[in-house]
Amino acid sequence: MAQLPLQAVLFDMDGTLVDTERLWWEAVEEVAGRPLTEADRPEVLGRPVEHTAHWLAATTGRPAPGLAEALHREFADRVRADIVPRPGALALLDALAREGVPTALVTASPRAVADTVLDALGASRFAVTVTADDTEHTKPAPDPYLAACHALGVDPAACVAVEDTETGVTSAEAAGCTVLAVPSLAPIGTAPGRTVVPGLEGVTPGRLRSLLPHRLRVMSWNLWYGGTKVRDHRAKQLKVLTETDVDVVGLQETCGTAAEELAEALGWYHHRAGENLGIISRHPITAALGDPDVGFYGAAGVRIAAGSAGEVDVWTAHLDCAPYGPYESAFDGLAADTLVAHEGARLARLRDALRRIGPGPGVPVVLVGDFNSPSHLDRADVGWPVTRAAEEAGFADSYREAHPDPVREPGHTWSPVHAEHEDGSGRPEPQDRIDFVLHRGLRVLDSRTLVSGSPRPWPDVEDNDWPSDHAAVITTFAITASESTGNPVGGGA
């Protein structure tokens, strides 16, 4: 499984690169006129000056602006007189520079304080500096880290943020960064995508690279009678799979043999379930899940061994095609409550799949498929129950995570070849998002729909480059060893 490349390292300043947490603590004590206690930590460490000033104002009755000015002054004086780089900080910065890895300084301190520290560290060590003055919201909001990534032109998922406080860790993780935590005055707990070490001594660029998640790219694809409506369909399917660099594909309408034939041509692993469903994977399949003799409609799954990242379960589902809600809505004018009532067969089929998958937690799960139903996330006028049931079972819709606005990015998968209804009436075919990549326990890096070429409409489809009547959905997940806790199991599929 491919590991994301290290595109940049983003450093907090106070307490991470320089030993200023103690200086800040002393400055707050001086302005507060009393010793600080453990109970004061959440209002002091990792917080911008303005936050701490307002907190002090509430307890002392003094005006916040004056307190902020006093805090700035006291802290800056201490920094000029007593700044000390943390052990290993400069060595790591120099090593990253030698390897050409860009770095950014991301701090909740104001620009004036950051500039004072940069004078001591060397401003040229950083390609970008983001301070409390540069974003509308500072830590723990993700804005500072997102701003740094935007300025560097890098993907947050391919960056490591180095932080020393829970507030900073929250900010970096909300932005989508992997975190190396080096606690200074307060402990930081471990979590998926987060590594805690006592200090920066001995930390190398190679160690930072090793922290980044692996990439798992999953596709859902209805092959449309195995692709047989299109000339040279198998070669065209293989071209799509090769060019998209996917890792696992959940297939529907396989006509029995498509999964095996595609996997054989690619040198991949495969699992066939019944005459309609299949899963192919570049990673070993260690177990078959669900009913291997499932009917034309239903669901089946596999467990894949994702290398050092552990295991992931992948399920593919094909739900009943009739009655089809978008037709009943567009052509028959049925009311929302009637449309919902007519989803009973699909809903029962999905609930059976969810029962077989189980409630978790444990191994992360991806559920893909042609649901033959719109999503409740896309159309506020109808509470489509099939996708809602998946959500209630803990599954998130990866496409809507990546593209939350259904108006701007509808993500239609039905249908690239049906602009008009195929009954010859000339009525426009309802366009909807009915194919999904859902997940439980993973992090979405990207999700998109795919149609290659410019498909000609039905019935003149035999020379299309795209060998299906559905768009595919491809989601790229970040997966780390701590997110996938299962041990490989024996058996093939």
Side-chain angles (χ1 to χ4, degrees), residues 219 221 232-246 262 265-266 450 452-453 464-467:
M219 172 190 276
W221 200 6
D232 299 325
H233 60 277
R234 193 68 78 229
K236 292 174 179 177
Q237 291 166 346
L238 289 168
K239 184 174 185 288
V240 169
L241 295 173
T242 301
E243 291 180 348
T244 54
D245 195 27
V246 291
L262 289 169
L266 293 165
L450 176 70
S452 59
N464 281 348
D465 290 330
W466 184 249

Side-chain angles (χ1 to χ4, degrees), residues 18-90:
V18 289
D19 189 11
T20 54
E21 293 289 2
R22 173 180 54 83
L23 304 180
W24 172 242
W25 190 265
E26 292 172 357
V28 176
E29 286 186 324
E30 177 67 25
V31 174
R34 65 170 177 85
L36 299 178
T37 69
E38 285 292 324
D40 300 320
R41 286 185 185 276
E43 309 299 339
V44 176
L45 294 186
R47 293 293 192 172
V49 172
E50 287 70 22
H51 176 93
T52 303
H54 280 93
W55 168 69
L56 286 176
T59 59
T60 65
R62 296 156 61 189
L67 287 167
E69 291 177 9
L71 288 168
H72 278 302
R73 184 174 58 253
E74 290 291 338
F75 182 57
D77 287 346
R78 283 169 169 77
V79 167
R80 292 188 190 97
D82 198 20
I83 190 169
V84 178
R86 290 201 73 184
L90 297 184

Side-chain angles (χ1 to χ4, degrees), residues 164-479:
D164 76 309
T165 66
E166 285 281 4
T167 301
V169 166
T170 299
S171 173
E173 290 179 344
C177 301
T178 294
V179 170
L180 178 70
V182 285
S184 54
L185 295 181
I188 298 174
T190 59
R194 181 193 309 170
T195 300
V196 182
V197 296
L200 293 177
E201 288 181 296
V203 175
T204 64
R207 175 73 189 280
L208 296 179
R209 287 189 180 92
S210 73
L211 304 181
L212 289 172
H214 292 73
R215 184 211 76 177
L216 182 70
R217 185 167 290 159
V218 181
M219 172 190 276
S220 181
W221 200 6
N222 183 311
L223 296 182
W224 193 20
Y225 297 105
T228 55
K229 300 294 184 181
V230 175
R231 202 188 328 262
D232 299 325
H233 60 277
R234 193 68 78 229
K236 292 174 179 177
Q237 291 166 346
L238 289 168
K239 184 174 185 288
V240 169
L241 295 173
T242 301
E243 291 180 348
T244 54
D245 195 27
V246 291
D247 297 300
V248 187
V249 187
L251 301 168
Q252 308 90 43
E253 293 196 32
T254 62
C255 283
T257 61
E260 181 177 3
E261 291 173 9
L262 289 169
E264 208 169 83
L266 293 165
W268 286 13
Y269 304 87
H270 81 280
H271 170 58
R272 169 180 171 175
E275 294 300 315
N276 180 46
L277 297 175
I279 296 173
I280 60 175
S281 169
R282 70 168 72 241
H283 305 296
I285 293 174
T286 61
L289 308 172
D291 181 3
D293 299 317
V294 63
F296 187 82
Y297 294 114
V302 299
R303 179 162 293 176
I304 64 170
S308 61
E311 296 177 326
V312 180
D313 289 351
V314 180
W315 287 72
T316 182
H318 193 193
L319 307 185
D320 307 58
C321 68
Y324 186 54
Y327 289 167
E328 294 187 313
S329 175
F331 300 154
D332 303 331
L334 297 188
D337 56 347
T338 305
L339 295 173
V340 170
H342 287 185
E343 291 292 311
R346 276 182 288 273
L347 183 58
R349 193 86 62 182
L350 180 71
R351 283 178 171 162
D352 178 68
L354 294 173
R355 178 184 60 80
R356 294 175 184 272
I357 292 170
V363 175
V365 184
V366 182
L367 170 60
V368 312
D370 170 11
F371 284 14
N372 275 310
S373 170
S375 171
H376 69 289
L377 300 175
D378 296 352
R379 297 174 53 171
D381 56 328
V382 181
W384 299 102
V386 173
T387 54
R388 190 182 296 277
E391 182 179 79
E392 291 170 352
F395 283 89
D397 184 329
S398 65
Y399 186 84
R400 274 291 158 254
E401 282 190 89
H403 310 284
D405 187 343
V407 175
R408 186 169 60 185
E409 295 177 283
H412 294 154
T413 60
W414 180 265
S415 164
V417 300
H418 290 291
E420 296 182 354
H421 195 48
E422 62 181 1
D423 64 0
S425 65
R427 294 179 295 181
E429 178 76 4
Q431 301 297 304
D432 277 285
R433 190 170 68 100
I434 62 173
D435 299 80
F436 303 94
V437 176
L438 311 180
H439 74 97
R440 189 171 66 198
L442 295 171
R443 179 157 58 97
V444 174
L445 299 179
D446 176 67
S447 188
R448 58 192 174 95
T449 59
L450 176 70
V451 175
S452 59
S454 301
R456 286 173 287 279
W458 176 263
D460 303 316
V461 299
E462 64 177 7
D463 290 319
N464 281 348
D465 290 330
W466 184 249
S468 178
D469 58 347
H470 287 245
V473 184
I474 302 173
T475 296
T476 304
F477 295 103
I479 176 171

